[in-house]
Amino acid sequence: MPKSWSGSVDLHLDIDTSGGRRAGLERALRAAIVAGRLAPGTPLPSTRALSAELGLSRGTVSAAYDQLIAEGHIIAVPGSGTRVADIAHRADLAPVSAPSTWAGSATATAAGLSSGEVRRGESRRTPVHDLLPGRPDLSTFPSAAWLRSTRRVLAEAPSEVHALSDPRGRPELRAALAGYLGRARGVHADPERIVVTSGYAQSLGLLASVLREAGTAAFAMEEPGHPFHRAIVRRAGLGVVPLPVDDMGARPEPLDGVGAAVLTPAHQYPSGATLGPDRRRAFVTWARDAGGLLVEDDYDGEFRYDRQPVGALQGTAPVHVVYGGTTSKTLAPALRLGWLVLPAHLVEPFAEAKRLADAHTQSLGQLVLADLIGTHAYDRHVRASRLRYRRRRDLLVRTLRARVPQVRVLGIAAGLHALVLLPDGGPGEDEVMRRAAAHDLALMPLGGHWHHPAGRPQGFVVGYSTPLGAAYPAALDALCAVLTTRPA
């Protein structure tokens, strides 16, 4: 009869003893290892413990272990017990999927996916070279500082921190953010007007829902702009009106019939333009006179290279601007930590929308971030990252100017990406994407960022922060090869 064992590694193990107890145990363990349910390095119970759990003799368990050791599935380390061997058993059993074309696909672009993000039901492998925008260099995550802060939080936080709490977020983080945003970004941020969210995407979606319920029919959103953010607004039941962008940022027209305008003033995505002073004043005047709302997406405002970071638009008109920030570019997107600084009249309805969505953002990460900010470890990490990304930007610009002078590189004064425009004589985005696939290079075409792409300039949004560590020069070599290769 089959037996089940959950043991010290919490694995359900079905043992069919019809062919013998030892053989049945061998088959069950082997199958669990090959299927990946027992991962490499997983410790196995001692022969004494496992024999007691399964009601088998210790000799039977020892014999099964010996056989799996001989096959290479497990290893016995003197003084450390028995563990699953570090070998790739699952490769032969992995399902075969269709080849991927990296972020040159309309699907990836329209969904706003970065490398490592997977659409439901879609199998995507990691490219050799990754220049997609949307995330920092994850190899530089401040693990030591995060660990120190985590230890302090766990040692000092009261037990109630593990209970459901204020949907606006932990008061410790809201106070820390108020101080940091005022000091570093020029934001007027009372802790009582800050709501912590699970990232900017949630911030935008909840805000769109709140404004729709208050009577807003449409948002103005930058053209070109982030396609994923447009999809979020439409999902909330609102219309989207294109807001044209030029080298001075978004133009404050047309704004008739919209209740809010979503802007990226410090570093427009994807053009890289900074919103000019006259445009800032014009948008604020519209919001004040028309009763509209400006939504400031300050997704990478800390990273300015030609001068001090441009202060937040919210600092000039806190009653008319919702300020949105996130740790996705400064630390890591997987932390799922974002925030909105709201005008007073929106705090209560937005907090209620957050409560109904998911009660509140997980508390431990909030407290760790508050500690990072309070000890200035966050500032130190941002400053170090700014220097590192500036060097990467400089290498990208020098490399393209020297090796691919026919392309134009824009938006390089700030941020984590550059806009590379293709020459009018070709090749176009589709051709470059075919070459990129041949070079195993992940690129993000500009086409999907337009509300109406017909007749628009063609190019690519190149994320120079994405490659891990020493992989960056090789990724630039691949980019140059893709942009200079001619069809056979």
Side-chain angles (χ1 to χ4, degrees):
M1 295 292 292
K3 295 183 179 181
S4 295
W5 165 65
S6 58
S8 60
V9 294
D10 290 334
L11 176 76
H12 179 81
L13 197 63
D14 287 326
I15 303 174
D16 184 356
T17 59
S18 59
R21 293 184 175 185
R22 189 194 75 181
L25 178 58
E26 288 175 12
R27 285 193 299 269
L29 286 170
R30 188 184 296 112
I33 293 170
V34 170
R37 292 190 294 123
L38 278 174
T42 300
L44 296 177
S46 67
T47 56
R48 184 187 302 277
L50 187 55
S51 63
E53 286 280 347
L54 299 179
L56 301 175
S57 71
R58 191 175 178 187
T60 296
V61 176
S62 295
Y65 275 15
D66 289 344
Q67 178 61 33
L68 294 175
I69 290 171
E71 295 174 1
H73 288 86
I74 63 177
I75 55 176
V77 181
S80 299
T82 305
R83 295 177 178 273
V84 177
D86 187 12
I87 54 177
H89 291 287
R90 286 176 285 173
D92 294 337
L93 299 180
V96 177
S97 59
S100 298
T101 299
W102 282 101
S105 67
T107 299
T109 304
L113 299 178
S114 62
S115 64
E117 292 180 302
V118 182
R119 283 175 59 95
R120 184 177 299 175
E122 204 175 291
S123 176
R124 301 177 65 82
R125 62 182 181 79
T126 301
V128 173
H129 310 293
D130 188 350
L131 289 174
L132 294 174
R135 77 175 192 212
D137 179 356
L138 300 180
S139 67
T140 64
F141 182 83
S143 300
W146 188 269
L147 180 59
R148 287 192 295 270
S149 291
T150 300
R151 285 173 172 162
R152 277 193 293 270
V153 165
L154 290 176
E156 299 171 5
S159 57
E160 60 87 17
V161 74
H162 303 295
L164 293 177
S165 62
D166 191 335
R168 293 176 300 169
R170 293 292 309 182
E172 298 91 339
L173 178 56
R174 289 189 283 120
L177 285 171
Y180 171 77
L181 294 174
R183 168 171 52 82
R185 301 297 298 124
V187 174
H188 291 278
D190 186 320
E192 296 302 310
R193 295 194 293 108
I194 296 176
V195 178
V196 179
T197 66
S198 300
Y200 179 73
Q202 185 186 56
S203 296
L204 181 61
L206 292 179
L207 181 63
S209 297
V210 167
L211 294 181
R212 177 181 54 79
E213 291 176 0
T216 295
F219 273 24
M221 303 187 75
E222 293 168 332
E223 164 81 321
H226 205 306
F228 187 44
H229 295 168
R230 291 199 299 266
I232 290 172
V233 170
R234 290 186 174 118
R235 177 72 180 222
L238 295 175
V240 173
V241 175
L243 196 60
V245 170
D246 58 25
D247 58 0
M248 295 299 292
R251 299 205 306 262
E253 59 197 32
L255 292 170
D256 294 337
V258 303
V262 182
L263 306 171
T264 49
H267 188 232
Q268 199 275 331
Y269 182 84
S271 75
T274 299
L275 190 65
D278 291 342
R279 302 273 176 91
R280 288 180 167 231
R281 287 190 290 271
F283 275 112
V284 170
T285 298
W286 166 79
R288 183 185 302 116
D289 294 347
L293 189 71
L294 301 175
V295 182
E296 179 174 13
D297 178 3
D298 197 32
Y299 68 101
D300 64 359
E302 290 92 344
F303 300 117
R304 187 84 194 183
Y305 308 124
D306 60 345
R307 59 176 183 267
Q308 287 296 313
V310 177
L313 177 65
Q314 190 268 3
T316 67
V319 175
H320 303 287
V321 180
V322 172
Y323 175 89
T326 176
T327 60
S328 291
K329 305 301 183 290
T330 54
L331 292 173
L335 294 178
R336 309 315 304 144
L337 285 171
W339 49 85
L340 288 187
V341 182
L342 296 149
H345 71 281
L346 286 176
V347 173
E348 185 175 343
F350 187 89
E352 177 63 6
K354 170 66 175 172
R355 185 184 71 82
L356 294 174
D358 60 0
H360 67 95
T361 299
Q362 61 96 3
S363 294
L364 181 58
Q366 293 188 56
L367 292 175
V368 174
L369 179 58
D371 188 83
L372 282 175
I373 294 172
T375 59
H376 302 295
Y378 188 75
D379 288 79
R380 290 191 293 272
H381 175 70
V382 168
R383 288 197 301 271
S385 298
R386 187 184 299 130
L387 177 60
R388 182 166 49 252
Y389 295 146
R390 177 173 183 166
R391 290 170 176 165
R392 286 190 173 209
R393 178 210 62 173
D394 292 347
L395 181 57
L396 170 68
V397 173
R398 286 198 309 269
T399 300
L400 290 179
R401 286 177 177 171
R403 297 168 59 181
V404 199
Q406 65 270 26
V407 301
R408 295 174 60 204
V409 185
L410 305 178
I412 60 174
L416 306 178
H417 74 272
L419 178 60
V420 177
L421 293 181
L422 298 172
D424 292 338
E429 289 178 8
D430 291 343
E431 171 60 26
V432 171
M433 286 312 305
R434 284 191 289 270
R435 300 178 190 177
H439 285 79
D440 213 359
L441 170 65
L443 282 178
M444 178 71 78
L446 178 61
H449 295 79
W450 299 101
H451 293 67
H452 307 295
R456 301 293 190 177
Q458 298 209 354
F460 292 85
V461 187
V462 176
Y464 50 79
S465 61
T466 303
L468 303 181
Y472 184 54
L476 292 186
D477 288 340
L479 176 64
C480 290
V482 164
L483 294 176
T484 56
T485 300
R486 291 293 178 265

